[in-house]
Amino acid sequence: MYTFSNKLRLSAFVLMIVGVLGLGYGFLAAPGTVEEAKAMVADARHGGGHAEAATHDAHGTHDEEHAAHDASHDEHLLHQLQNKPWAALYVAAFFFMMIPLGVLAFYAIQRVSQAGWSPLLFRVMEGITAYLLPGAVLVFVILVLSGVHMNHLFVWMDPEVVAHDELIQGKSGYLNVPFFLIRAAIYIAGWVAYRHFSRKFSIAQDTADDNSYFKRNFKISAGFLVFFLVSESMMSWDWIMSVDPHWFSTLFGWYVFASMFVSGITVIALVTIYLKSRGYLEEVNNSHIHDLAKFMFGISIFWTYLWFSQFMLIWYSNIPEEVTYFVTRIEDYKLPFFGMVVLNFVFPLLVLMNSDYKRLNWFVVMTGIVILIGHYIDIYNMIMPATVGDQWFIGIGEIGGVLFFLGLFIFVVFSALTKAPLVPKRNPFIEESKHFHY
Amino acid sequence: MSNKVIQAIYTDDDVLLAAVKKVKAAHHHIDEIYTPFPVHGLDKAMGLAPTRIAIASFLYGCVGLTVATLMMNYIMIEDWPQDIGGKPSFSYLENMPAFVPIMFELTVFFAAHLMVITFYLRSKLWPFKKAENPDVRTTDDHFLMEVAVSGNEEELSAFLQETGAVEVKVSEKH
């Protein structure tokens, strides 16, 4: 049995408290009025302000038009700045929710494919997926708060915007708040139900005298994978793609999936290495780590393949209604947009290519941290351009969001790990897994 | 120094592996082992150095990437930067997404083909090459270990017989 070390528990609480303070600061620092928003931007662009004033003067002949335009521009700016703390919260909440979801998909695949190497890691995966329920509920709460107009994360939820926007009106059969929340509840219920029962059967198998629980787990895992494929795709349209309601992409669901899958596998590797370094999981050898690192390597490349396929097809054809998505990202988010390709592709490609390096714990941990940072930025790049536009910054609010959810994640995951033995007992493949050698 | 080798023939890969370990422990030099299929762990038991073909392949891939980049940069950007359907041919970077499929394919092409050719060269394989198996049964269901004779021939034969060989014969080195 695993015991949650006091040190780790304390650091989890410290992370949560610091995170809450950071998020709170973010909300307090958000402007309440147009004047405050303008003052903030003027402060931030101390030097640039003059140049802007000069260009405004040049257009002095269209005074009236200009004033109307300025007012709508200012309101837009206010909305962007007010969105900042919300978007910081949402990006972090979604990022940490997608990790257990990716792990859950990986876990179901391991069960369905009857992999011989991974049963030793099932309890680690089950521990990580314990965060799915609280994590998904927090995301759901943020979605509900958006639905009751506490923020402007989703422009299609604003009736005033919809009234003047025929494109969104045409999509309102799908994009309306009640249906949106019902769908979200169905996805979460499906995922959490599978997680609950597979965990239950997995523990029941430890004391069973036949393999019936193992077989039931096999069946529900296969069923879950079918549900997951559909629900994950729709979830990515709902929760992420709909922040840009004018834009659509067909491989978006896969792309989000690749991001969550590689983050999930990375977290499995990190938690496994941590537990092993503490003297739990003695039977895990460097071949298990090597296998996880291979998955990190392969899925990182898969993510890049999807990222590039989406980017290149839109860049190549350059259709105005699609390409704005990347135009805003390349103009306003150059460093995060291309930086994440370096973090998520070039770095793992070069570092994890060597078979010997994949067996070294510190190599896997280092690459894992880079991959996780890269995928946080990936989610950041999906949400921020539509919600805060060029007002983005990775500041106290954003870091606070990450720290809060990181603390909560650590607390929930490591609490769950204490609740069951770390090695499954009567799994038919457990012996093979203990002697796994590559 | 005689050119003689002793050929011990086995019929089971587990017996062969155990025999290899015994022969290594007794400090006899194994010249060569012929098997009909890959025996897992044989290279380790024999103490063969790991292959470096993956490193060679990585370097070939780098060559392929370089060739693709230099070729397209010369053709599309430097030699005749035409406007083809509005694609920005001003610099390589600006038009790079369009080149990536070729960069990728040439990297894989060079890495794969040059690695295979390296493999053929290093293992001396080519069409019309004379086959080198000392006993035709080694391509079907027998395993053959060749041990160089140094010192007492009788003793070595007896030793190999004990390791589970079904047949031990002395032959001139071919």
Side-chain angles (χ1 to χ4, degrees):
Chain A
M1 287 295 260
Y2 170 71
T3 43
F4 198 165
S5 78
N6 279 330
K7 227 174 167 181
L8 191 64
R9 193 193 304 267
L10 189 68
S11 4
F13 281 120
V14 169
L15 284 172
M16 278 192 267
I17 292 163
V18 173
V20 166
L21 293 177
L23 279 171
Y25 173 81
F27 279 100
L28 289 178
T33 60
V34 172
E35 282 66 38
E36 279 180 53
K38 282 168 85 172
M40 280 173 73
V41 175
D43 271 353
R45 292 185 188 154
H46 198 65
H50 301 290
E52 210 171 294
T55 47
H56 279 235
D57 285 344
H59 295 283
T61 43
H62 307 287
D63 260 350
E64 254 172 63
E65 238 177 86
H66 201 70
H69 178 75
D70 256 2
S72 81
H73 176 265
D74 292 342
E75 200 180 334
H76 184 60
L77 180 72
L78 175 67
H79 282 174
Q80 288 183 332
L81 289 173
Q82 283 179 333
N83 264 342
K84 256 185 89 173
W86 283 99
L89 178 72
Y90 185 56
V91 170
F94 183 87
F95 175 70
F96 280 93
M97 186 282 299
M98 81 176 192
I99 289 172
L101 190 58
V103 173
L104 197 66
F106 188 73
Y107 175 80
I109 290 170
Q110 297 302 309
R111 286 216 172 260
V112 170
S113 62
Q114 307 198 350
W117 66 279
S118 52
L120 208 48
L121 305 175
F122 276 176
R123 288 290 146 79
V124 176
M125 299 184 208
E126 286 164 14
I128 297 169
T129 54
Y131 180 75
L132 185 61
L133 178 60
V137 166
L138 282 172
V139 172
F140 188 75
V141 168
I142 299 173
L143 297 179
V144 171
L145 292 178
S146 302
V148 298
H149 310 301
M150 295 282 288
N151 57 56
H152 293 90
L153 286 180
F154 299 89
V155 282
W156 58 265
M157 286 177 176
D158 188 340
E160 259 180 63
V161 173
V162 179
H164 300 101
D165 192 324
E166 288 190 33
L167 270 175
I168 300 181
Q169 281 166 23
K171 295 182 182 184
S172 60
Y174 188 78
L175 288 182
N176 59 75
V177 175
F179 188 31
F180 176 81
L181 291 178
I182 290 168
R183 283 197 307 268
I186 292 172
Y187 312 147
I188 294 172
W191 304 333
V192 170
Y194 166 69
R195 194 268 163 190
H196 174 77
F197 285 109
S198 74
R199 165 80 162 178
K200 200 173 125 185
F201 293 163
S202 170
I203 288 170
Q205 177 68 26
D206 274 6
T207 50
D209 38 18
D210 62 0
N211 285 337
S212 61
Y213 283 114
F214 177 78
K215 287 178 187 160
R216 282 166 80 181
N217 225 341
F218 173 83
K219 283 180 195 154
I220 61 167
S221 300
F224 167 73
L225 284 175
V226 175
F227 173 78
F228 174 76
L229 204 71
V230 178
S231 60
E232 189 277 333
S233 218
M234 294 178 68
M235 175 275 280
S236 69
W237 310 335
D238 285 4
W239 299 1
I240 297 188
M241 204 158 79
S242 83
V243 294
D244 286 290
H246 285 186
W247 182 79
F248 53 87
S249 163
T250 37
L251 63 69
F252 196 74
W254 292 80
Y255 171 57
V256 174
F257 166 72
S259 203
M260 67 169 62
F261 204 47
V262 70
S263 312
I265 293 165
T266 303
V267 172
I268 297 173
L270 295 182
V271 175
T272 306
I273 290 172
Y274 171 78
L275 290 175
K276 189 165 165 57
S277 75
R278 296 280 134 169
Y280 307 97
L281 291 177
E282 273 167 18
E283 281 146 321
V284 170
N285 57 43
N286 63 14
S287 293
H288 293 100
I289 305 299
H290 183 260
D291 254 32
L292 285 169
K294 265 191 290 191
F295 269 107
M296 284 159 64
F297 175 73
I299 308 297
S300 284
I301 292 171
F302 177 65
W303 173 88
T304 316
Y305 167 63
L306 293 178
W307 173 81
F308 182 71
S309 301
Q310 178 170 281
F311 171 68
M312 194 262 232
L313 284 179
I314 290 174
W315 172 86
Y316 208 109
S317 58
N318 206 15
I319 302 172
E321 71 246 36
E322 284 180 352
V323 85
T324 51
Y325 186 81
F326 288 112
V327 169
T328 51
R329 274 157 185 79
I330 290 173
E331 275 181 4
D332 299 335
Y333 289 75
K334 206 168 228 112
L335 181 65
F337 186 68
F338 292 109
M340 80 174 172
V341 183
V342 175
L343 296 179
N344 292 340
F345 173 62
V346 180
F347 190 77
L349 178 84
L350 295 176
V351 171
L352 290 181
M353 180 139 27
N354 189 318
S355 184
D356 296 331
Y357 293 169
K358 285 192 278 249
R359 293 177 190 278
L360 297 177
N361 285 347
W362 70 273
F363 246 94
V364 177
V365 170
M366 177 185 67
T367 323
I369 290 169
V370 171
I371 289 176
L372 288 178
I373 293 172
H375 285 281
Y376 171 78
I377 297 174
D378 186 18
I379 304 299
Y380 189 87
N381 280 329
M382 293 179 193
I383 300 292
M384 290 295 178
T387 50
V388 304
D390 58 358
Q391 299 301 319
W392 70 276
F393 188 67
I394 297 192
I396 294 172
E398 284 77 6
I399 294 169
V402 172
L403 294 183
F404 171 73
F405 286 100
L406 177 66
L408 186 67
F409 183 82
I410 291 174
F411 178 71
V412 172
V413 168
F414 286 90
S415 304
L417 285 170
T418 60
K419 301 221 170 81
L422 283 180
V423 177
K425 280 189 203 66
R426 281 198 75 264
N427 187 302
F429 293 105
I430 194 72
E431 279 309 310
E432 184 182 340
S433 179
K434 284 175 182 171
H435 300 108
F436 172 66
H437 178 76
Y438 174 75
Chain B
M1 195 74 189
S2 80
N3 254 354
K4 279 182 182 166
V5 288
I6 296 190
Q7 297 175 334
I9 297 181
Y10 302 85
T11 51
D12 187 288
D13 47 340
D14 287 335
V15 178
L16 173 76
L17 267 182
V20 168
K21 282 169 194 156
K22 279 182 211 156
V23 172
K24 289 297 282 185
H27 298 294
H28 293 297
H29 177 72
I30 300 173
D31 268 0
E32 194 62 85
I33 293 181
Y34 298 85
T35 66
F37 54 78
V39 176
H40 187 75
L42 186 60
D43 51 340
K44 249 189 196 138
M46 289 172 72
L48 298 182
T51 171
R52 289 169 297 180
I53 201 156
I55 299 169
S57 182
F58 176 76
L59 296 175
Y60 296 147
C62 296
V63 173
L65 186 62
T66 311
V67 167
T69 310
L70 292 179
M71 175 184 77
M72 287 183 293
N73 184 50
Y74 176 69
I75 297 172
M76 301 301 292
I77 308 296
E78 283 174 11
D79 190 33
W80 194 5
Q82 281 189 99
D83 181 344
I84 304 169
K87 285 279 161 288
S89 306
F90 307 109
S91 73
Y92 193 75
L93 205 59
E94 273 176 285
N95 211 0
M96 201 189 72
F99 302 144
V100 165
I102 297 150
M103 289 158 72
F104 170 77
E105 293 294 347
L106 279 184
T107 306
V108 174
F109 179 87
F110 273 63
H113 286 80
L114 292 180
M115 176 177 76
V116 168
I117 293 167
T118 305
F119 168 74
Y120 286 151
L121 291 175
R122 291 289 289 146
S123 34
K124 302 192 177 69
L125 280 176
W126 58 86
F128 312 113
K129 180 194 163 75
K130 200 175 171 302
E132 286 175 353
N133 58 323
D135 190 312
V136 287
R137 291 172 296 170
T138 59
T139 61
D140 184 13
D141 59 351
H142 284 62
F143 304 81
L144 189 148
M145 186 198 304
E146 272 186 0
V147 183
V149 176
S150 56
N152 194 331
E153 188 184 306
E154 304 288 307
E155 206 178 291
L156 185 54
S157 286
F159 173 72
L160 287 173
Q161 199 80 57
E162 268 173 46
T163 60
V166 293
E167 194 181 317
V168 176
K169 51 186 183 183
V170 181
S171 92
E172 282 298 317
K173 190 146 192 169
H174 35 85

